[in-house]
Amino acid sequence: WWEENSKEAYNTGLANASVAFDNYAKSKSGERRGKRLGAPRFKSKRKARLACRFTTGTIRVDVDGRHVTLPRLGTIRSHEPTAGLLTRVQAGTARILSVTVRHERGRWFASFQAEVKRDVERVTRPDVAVGIDLGVKSLAVMADSTGEIRTVPNPWHYDGALKLLRRACRTVSRRQGPDRRTGRKPSKRWEKANAARNKVHHRVANIRQDALHKLTTAVTAEYGTVVVEDLNVAGMLRNRRLARQIADAGFGEIRRQLGYKTHQRHATRIIVADRWYPSSKTCSGCGAVKAKLPLHIRTYACDACGLVLDRDDNAALNLAALARACTTGTGVAGDQDAVKVSKPRGADQKTRATRRSRKATAGRAGGATLPHQRQTQARDRTHAEA
Ligand SMILES: [Zn+2]
């Protein structure tokens, strides 16, 4: 059976195991931030998501813009047009590093990891900072440093589909499904009903992804500084009354997208407020801090100066004001780390050679970076795009 499959099928598993052991060791020694990780466990054959990462061999987006060629699997018709990546590859601004094939909710996906050379896009208001307060009632309240407040309503993707989903699930449960104990195979009608249910899940996920990208792209294209809160999303998900809504809103994903879009697309700043920064309890007018402000109180009324405004508006204004405090320093509260690009096995040799030579030239010019050089470096910044 070894020869029947691509060698990458086995290599992916070994590479993942290696990463897992590495994370475990680093977590144990305190090198890795975040929750303590245990020793790697075996994946379940039944539950694990099927995925395989191809790093060598013929990986290609075909010129017709409708097919992809993968090692061992050959040329496959893609459902979506591949024009976006294809034009970049043909223009020489993208280099494909690897491709990951995965099975999700009944569909197969091929995600390309590519190194893309793109110009830093200018933002429309580089001097304005925006504070973003994420919430369940309205997805985001954005206040900029000029005092303008905008509210993005929560689209309720999942709740909107709940009725459809309930119906689809009921149909599935009435059909003869697979049974592991008796070895019963699912019936054709079960498979059909299950596919219909998968479709609903897909639709919710796609609508959510689209809305989040539109929101973060618009924000990062406008402002020079973006201030967000460092929310404890994992902790908030433990609240069983709010978990569904919080997971649906995608707070963590908004943070991640804002992070890479500010750094890599526009070379702007993102400031992440400390987790314990009292953005809701502070008065945006006079700076007085309340000791307590329960979640059900939706309007903020200041005891010191008598200011009354919406709770979320107040929090967003406080976050925007935080940008001013961080302007002079190097960004104490800031998260200036560039987003790390995970390189697949042995795929980065070519790039490293060119990078080193470029750095050597800059070094010979006398150490300090000149303005025009800085610009070049920013333009050469690359990033991975699926
Ligand atoms: Zn006040």
Side-chain angles (χ1 to χ4, degrees):
W1 45 266
W2 180 269
E3 293 168 359
E4 284 170 17
N5 307 309
S6 164
K7 70 172 177 50
E8 303 279 7
Y10 314 110
N11 267 350
T12 306
L14 292 173
N16 288 349
S18 141
V19 170
F21 276 111
D22 199 43
N23 286 342
Y24 169 56
K26 280 190 177 146
S27 179
K28 205 170 181 191
S29 65
E31 260 179 87
R32 190 180 195 275
R33 287 199 306 168
K35 207 172 148 193
R36 196 76 180 267
L37 290 181
R41 278 173 299 182
F42 282 106
K43 277 185 182 174
S44 159
K45 180 169 123 186
R46 293 176 189 91
K47 283 186 209 151
R49 179 194 284 171
L50 298 173
C52 175
R53 187 181 204 183
F54 295 94
T55 56
T56 51
T58 321
I59 303 170
R60 194 174 62 215
V61 183
D62 289 65
V63 281
D64 62 354
R66 269 300 188 184
H67 292 81
V68 294
T69 301
L70 305 174
R72 263 329 258 262
L73 300 172
T75 304
I76 303 165
R77 171 86 152 84
S78 67
H79 184 80
E80 267 180 277
T82 56
L85 182 59
L86 185 66
T87 33
R88 280 189 186 278
V89 169
Q90 282 174 338
T93 53
R95 196 165 64 86
I96 294 168
L97 299 175
S98 71
V99 62
T100 304
V101 176
R102 74 173 193 281
H103 183 252
E104 208 172 87
R105 298 181 221 106
R107 292 180 188 179
W108 286 94
F109 293 87
S111 316
F112 287 83
Q113 187 192 29
E115 198 166 54
V116 179
K117 195 172 177 180
R118 64 196 292 171
D119 297 337
V120 170
E121 292 161 30
R122 286 194 181 282
V123 292
T124 46
R125 295 157 83 189
D127 304 323
V128 183
V130 67
I132 304 176
D133 178 70
L134 299 173
V136 165
K137 210 157 166 247
S138 42
L139 182 60
V141 175
M142 301 187 285
D144 60 33
S145 44
T146 59
E148 195 189 320
I149 295 169
R150 257 180 277 171
T151 310
V152 181
N154 193 332
W156 302 115
H157 310 295
Y158 188 79
D159 288 41
L162 265 183
K163 208 170 150 191
L164 272 176
L165 206 57
R166 198 175 298 137
R167 229 177 114 173
C169 285
R170 208 185 302 131
T171 315
V172 171
S173 71
R174 284 184 186 141
R175 309 278 188 261
Q176 286 247 315
D179 194 333
R180 267 210 280 135
R181 269 174 311 154
T182 58
R184 190 178 67 195
K185 288 269 180 334
S187 70
K188 282 275 180 305
R189 296 177 77 228
W190 183 91
E191 275 171 359
K192 223 165 135 187
N194 193 40
R197 175 169 65 179
N198 282 341
K199 212 169 169 182
V200 179
H201 277 299
H202 257 295
R203 199 174 149 66
V204 173
N206 289 344
I207 292 173
R208 177 186 302 130
Q209 199 188 15
D210 180 58
L212 293 188
H213 270 296
K214 276 179 181 156
L215 170 68
T216 54
T217 301
V219 169
T220 51
E222 185 166 351
Y223 301 102
T225 308
V226 179
V227 191
V228 283
E229 281 173 295
D230 180 19
L231 294 172
N232 180 10
V233 180
M236 282 156 67
L237 286 177
R238 251 175 266 138
N239 178 338
R240 67 194 170 93
R241 283 176 200 279
L242 284 173
R244 194 180 72 227
Q245 282 92 337
I246 288 166
D248 188 32
F251 291 162
E253 182 64 10
I254 292 177
R255 234 321 274 291
R256 190 188 72 82
Q257 288 179 6
L258 286 175
Y260 81 79
K261 283 180 187 176
T262 48
H263 280 300
Q264 293 170 343
R265 210 170 271 185
H266 303 283
T268 49
R269 256 187 347 152
I270 180 160
I271 295 169
V272 181
D274 185 81
R275 189 164 286 182
W276 308 113
Y277 174 70
S279 62
S280 296
K281 292 178 198 160
T282 311
C283 171
S284 59
C286 67
V289 182
K290 281 194 183 209
K292 251 184 188 164
L293 186 68
L295 207 62
H296 68 267
I297 296 175
R298 302 311 306 175
T299 47
Y300 184 92
C302 181
D303 305 324
C305 69
L307 182 80
V308 178
L309 80 170
D310 183 80
R311 174 203 178 95
D312 297 332
D313 292 2
N314 180 53
L317 282 168
N318 280 325
L319 289 171
L322 206 64
R324 221 168 304 133
C326 293
T327 341
T328 43
T330 47
V332 190
D335 181 359
Q336 304 270 325
D337 294 350
V339 181
K340 274 182 201 155
V341 178
S342 70
K343 288 265 166 65
R345 288 153 265 142
D348 57 345
Q349 283 168 350
K350 203 167 141 194
T351 331
R352 257 196 208 148
T354 47
R355 270 227 190 107
R356 211 176 289 142
S357 65
R358 197 174 292 140
K359 252 184 203 157
T361 349
R364 238 178 286 135
T369 325
L370 301 167
H372 73 270
Q373 279 176 338
R374 204 177 300 138
Q375 213 180 348
T376 334
Q377 279 167 1
R379 212 185 304 134
D380 287 343
R381 224 177 269 197
T382 54
H383 87 120
E385 195 175 65

